[in-house]
């Protein structure tokens, strides 16, 4: 039974992942209805407001759902949101057994959907591929539990940790394959964040350029204490489909803010930021907007600030097989640095992937150790 359950749950997770980056502020969910070890209905939640995965699978199965087992990557909802509760539709569909990968952390659902199904007499099993399901929706889980987005720190560096030469040349440290992966990430996250230093130095677009029909641009968030962003910068582009938020401190000149607004950018004056933008407060503000994930694509100083303020959840470091050197050349993380190795932030759950000659090292900030 376990092997069979894992097989169909993997399929449910595959379906859920089809909507990666499209469901915020909702989670990604996939569902498979199985009868006599054959799929009779499949579905996934495509975007916020669309039918839920369980309902899509039930609609496809029709009468074949009677007596079937429903595999779903997240506990079915039991409350009214934009759509009716899934548990009631599951009961009306005649499903015999429900297998959920994990509970929904949303207090409006958590455990209640499972309890409703069991009370109605259905067999319910929870925990099949729970770790994989939680990882798939790590942004949603983080947002529900903390109110802020899941934050990814992305770095492209040489083997000696440099992100540019002494003249500031940084195009391109990594190869085409690694850069395409970054564009895939932009296609998946809700927002990308950069500091004003990166805008002034590199003038990036921070858009998705995959050349595919269904690509989307993330929201661009520019951290700019005093609103120094040039109105000719590429992120200030009315023709772009990517909206831009200029996050400023309370010291930013009002006249400049009006000019920025007239160019189509949104201005966000971050609370409790008298002189510099508090990234922690900025994340809280973005979380209230339903932004579940943010990828930082900045320079050494914004990276250092993000790590110092403790907002980073995951780190992605693309390492190129080159050596740049130089005492004054910028490294991936600036700031004052630490005094003792015992203060170093450590990564857990490491994963390594190759992109032609480049290497991606991925890991999560060990926040338990960081607090100890």
């Amino acid at each position: 039974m376990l092997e069979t359950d894992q097989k169909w749950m993997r399929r449910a997770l595959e379906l859920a992942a089809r909507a990666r980056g499209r469901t915020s502020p909702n989670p990604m969910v996939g569902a498979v209805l199985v009868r006599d070890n054959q799929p009779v209905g499949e579905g996934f939640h495509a975007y916020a407001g669309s039918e839920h995965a369980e309902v899509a699978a039930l609609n496809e199965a029709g009468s074949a759902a009677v007596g079937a087992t429903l595999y779903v990557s997240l506990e079915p909802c039991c409350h009214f949101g934009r759509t009716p509760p899934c548990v009631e539709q599951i009961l009306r569909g005649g499903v015999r057994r429900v297998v959920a990968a994990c509970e929904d952390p949303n207090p409006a659902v958590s455990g209640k959907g499972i309890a409703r199904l069991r009370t109605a007499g259905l067999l319910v099993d929870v925990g099949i591929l729970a770790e994989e399901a939680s990882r798939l929706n790590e942004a949603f889980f983080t947002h529900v539990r903390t109110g802020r987005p899941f934050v990814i720190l992305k770095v492209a560096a040489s083997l000696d940790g440099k992100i540019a030469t002494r003249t500031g040349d940084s195009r391109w440290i990594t190869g085409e394959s690694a850069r395409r992966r970054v564009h895939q990430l932009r296609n998946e996250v809700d927002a990308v964040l950069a500091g004003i230093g990166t805008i002034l130095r590199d003038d990036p677009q921070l858009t998705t350029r995959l050349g595919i029909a269904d690509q989307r641009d993330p929201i661009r968030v520019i951290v700019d204490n005093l609103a120094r962003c040039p109105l000719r910068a590429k992120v200030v582009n009315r023709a772009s489909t990517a909206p831009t938020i200029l996050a400023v401190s309370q010291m930013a000149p009002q006249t400049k803010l009006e000019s920025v607004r007239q160019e189509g950018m949104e201005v966000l004056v971050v609370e409790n930021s008298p002189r510099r933008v508090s990234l922690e407060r900025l994340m809280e503000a973005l979380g209230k907007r339903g932004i579940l994930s943010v990828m930082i694509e900045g320079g050494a100083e914004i990276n250092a600030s993000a790590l110092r303020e403790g907002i980073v959840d995951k780190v992605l470091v693309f390492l190129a097989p080159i050596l740049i050197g130089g005492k004054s050349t910028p490294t991936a993380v600036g700031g004052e640095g630490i005094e003792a190795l015992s203060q170093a932030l450590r990564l857990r759950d490491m994963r390594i992937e190759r992109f032609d000659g480049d290497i991606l090292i991925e890991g999560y900030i060990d926040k338990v150790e960081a607090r100890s």
Side-chain angles (χ1 to χ4, degrees):
M1 177 67 77
L2 179 60
E3 280 191 19
T4 299
D5 286 347
Q6 289 180 341
K7 170 187 173 182
W8 294 115
M9 188 59 75
R10 285 195 181 91
R11 177 57 181 164
L13 290 170
E14 289 173 1
L15 290 166
R18 290 183 179 180
R20 193 183 294 275
R22 304 299 189 270
T23 61
S24 293
N26 293 346
M28 292 172 278
V29 184
V32 184
L33 276 163
V34 178
R35 187 172 175 178
D36 298 325
N37 205 30
Q38 294 295 321
V40 295
E42 294 184 340
F44 65 95
H45 182 49
Y47 56 89
S50 69
E51 63 182 3
H52 286 193
E54 303 94 317
V55 175
L58 286 165
N59 289 340
E60 184 174 287
S63 60
V66 177
T69 295
L70 173 66
Y71 293 89
V72 60
S73 60
L74 190 67
E75 175 183 7
C77 68
C78 55
H79 67 299
F80 279 91
R82 296 188 186 183
T83 57
C86 289
V87 290
E88 302 305 325
Q89 299 190 61
I90 291 169
L91 296 176
R92 286 197 295 271
V95 173
R96 178 181 64 85
R97 177 178 178 237
V98 174
V99 181
C102 56
E103 287 189 14
D104 189 329
N106 184 349
V109 180
S110 187
K112 299 181 181 71
I114 292 167
R116 173 72 179 101
L117 293 170
R118 284 176 173 160
T119 299
L122 272 68
L123 299 172
V124 181
D125 292 300
V126 184
I128 301 297
L129 302 186
E131 184 176 348
E132 290 90 332
S134 297
R135 186 68 57 85
L136 176 69
N137 274 311
E138 58 193 7
F140 172 75
F141 278 37
T142 296
H143 186 261
V144 168
R145 290 167 177 162
T146 68
R148 64 167 181 80
F150 182 83
V151 178
I152 302 166
L153 176 62
K154 189 275 295 181
V155 171
S158 62
L159 286 180
D160 53 345
K162 305 296 184 178
I163 59 174
T165 69
R166 61 184 175 83
T167 62
D169 183 16
S170 61
R171 296 186 179 182
W172 298 103
I173 287 179
T174 54
E176 184 176 344
S177 180
R179 296 199 302 275
R180 182 172 179 79
R181 177 63 182 130
V182 172
H183 283 279
Q184 289 172 344
L185 290 166
R186 290 180 186 171
N187 190 45
E188 296 169 2
V189 298
D190 293 339
V192 294
L193 181 148
I196 184 59
T198 297
I199 303 304
L200 295 174
R201 182 181 59 252
D202 300 333
D203 193 22
Q205 297 182 60
L206 299 177
T207 54
T208 301
R209 298 185 295 280
L210 289 170
I212 58 176
D214 62 343
Q215 72 179 22
R216 53 173 281 282
D217 291 322
I219 297 169
R220 299 174 294 192
V221 180
I222 310 305
V223 179
D224 186 3
N225 292 1
L226 300 176
R228 293 185 294 148
C229 184
L231 299 183
R232 65 180 183 280
K234 291 176 182 175
V235 293
V236 186
N237 183 355
R238 287 178 177 271
S240 174
T241 59
T244 302
I245 298 174
L246 195 71
V248 302
S249 73
Q250 291 153 329
M251 294 285 288
Q254 288 300 317
T255 53
K256 182 60 184 292
L257 297 186
E258 284 305 315
S259 298
V260 167
R261 290 189 180 102
Q262 289 175 10
E263 291 299 322
M265 293 177 72
E266 178 184 351
V267 173
L268 173 59
V269 181
V270 181
E271 293 182 1
N272 298 319
S273 298
R275 294 186 178 277
R276 53 174 298 278
V277 172
S278 164
L279 296 182
E280 184 178 6
R281 295 287 183 266
L282 174 57
M283 290 305 112
E284 291 173 1
L286 296 179
K288 289 177 181 177
R289 296 169 178 237
I291 292 175
L292 302 194
S293 56
V294 174
M295 183 166 66
I296 298 174
E297 293 196 66
E301 296 309 312
I302 199 77
N303 293 348
S305 296
L307 292 168
R308 184 177 61 250
E309 293 193 42
I311 66 167
V312 178
D313 297 291
K314 180 190 281 188
V315 177
L316 302 178
V317 180
F318 292 88
L319 287 177
I322 59 174
L323 298 170
I324 294 176
K327 291 186 294 183
S328 61
T329 51
T331 58
V333 181
E336 295 181 1
I338 59 174
E339 294 180 357
L341 282 177
S342 60
Q343 300 172 311
L345 294 173
R346 294 186 180 275
L347 302 185
R348 58 174 176 81
D349 301 337
M350 303 286 290
R351 190 176 69 88
I352 297 176
E353 188 176 351
R354 294 197 61 148
F355 291 89
D356 295 331
D358 302 318
I359 296 173
L360 168 61
I361 300 175
E362 174 183 323
Y364 295 82
I365 297 287
D366 191 338
K367 300 201 173 184
V368 174
E369 180 157 331
R371 290 194 299 267
S372 62

